[in-house]
Amino acid sequence: MTAVFDERAKANLSVPEEIHVEWVPPGLLNRLRAECRLAAALRSGVRVLCFHGLPPLFLNEASGSKLTLFLQNRLLVESGSLRDYPILTRLRLEVERWLLRRQLDSVGEVIVQGPSMKRALAVLVGAVAHRPRIQILPLVPNDISVPALTSGRAFDFVYPAESYG
């Protein structure tokens, strides 16, 4: 098994020894090279999991059935206003929304964490001829018991997120 990661995440990831890792240096040209290698892998029949919420840039319907997309960023699925975000964030999100909509019909399966995200995605893919299979795989089971903290307050929702620095 091979994993392709941004090398800036190297210090934050613990990868099992049996997984071969290709670390991609930051930068547009390096990202495009990695995307080309990914497209070649998809053409050769390899199954691919995109864990960052976006399908590959160079994807076609023939390779999409082997592609699974893990999607958790609701901002990419819904069409709400982004005007309250800083201009660079707004621009990045608009590009990511466009890419997701452009490539979604070439994705075989999309994994989301809950029913509301599945519904929002189903609305989006309603306009797509080829519908990817949408599967709910919660990070933790819905019936898990979360003990109260020492303050006596229990959490209704836990959002795991990455942290840098």
Side-chain angles (χ1 to χ4, degrees):
M1 178 182 292
T2 299
V4 180
F5 296 122
D6 186 315
E7 80 176 13
R8 293 172 289 189
K10 197 181 255 188
N12 298 317
L13 292 177
S14 174
V15 182
E17 288 182 22
E18 64 272 11
I19 297 177
H20 170 72
V21 177
E22 292 181 24
W23 298 102
V24 178
L28 182 59
L29 286 177
N30 292 318
R31 173 66 186 262
L32 289 174
R33 283 187 202 107
E35 290 280 347
C36 288
R37 287 195 309 275
L38 179 58
L42 281 165
R43 283 191 303 273
S44 72
V46 172
R47 291 206 46 85
V48 173
L49 168 64
C50 289
F51 201 69
H52 55 67
L54 290 173
L57 293 174
F58 309 118
L59 182 65
N60 61 44
E61 285 190 41
S63 61
S65 63
K66 298 177 283 285
L67 178 76
T68 300
L69 178 67
F70 178 76
L71 182 61
Q72 65 180 3
N73 189 346
R74 191 168 211 89
L75 293 172
L76 300 182
V77 175
E78 296 177 339
S79 59
S81 172
L82 300 173
R83 73 171 184 248
D84 292 333
Y85 289 89
I87 187 71
L88 291 178
T89 302
R90 192 168 52 219
L91 181 61
R92 178 184 54 80
L93 288 169
E94 289 292 352
V95 169
E96 290 177 358
R97 281 179 172 180
W98 173 82
L99 179 61
L100 179 65
R101 284 161 175 77
R102 180 179 171 267
Q103 297 290 66
L104 199 53
D105 62 339
S106 297
V107 172
E109 177 182 40
V110 180
I111 297 173
V112 297
Q113 291 184 6
S116 65
M117 186 66 157
K118 181 178 181 176
R119 285 189 301 272
L121 185 58
V123 169
L124 178 66
V125 300
V128 176
H130 164 78
R131 291 183 167 191
R133 177 176 169 230
I134 304 171
Q135 184 174 356
I136 299 173
L137 292 176
L139 188 63
V140 293
N142 289 332
D143 59 352
I144 193 169
S145 174
V146 178
L149 296 176
T150 55
S151 68
R153 180 178 174 170
F155 291 100
D156 294 321
F157 180 78
V158 177
Y159 179 75
E162 59 188 284
S163 173
Y164 292 100

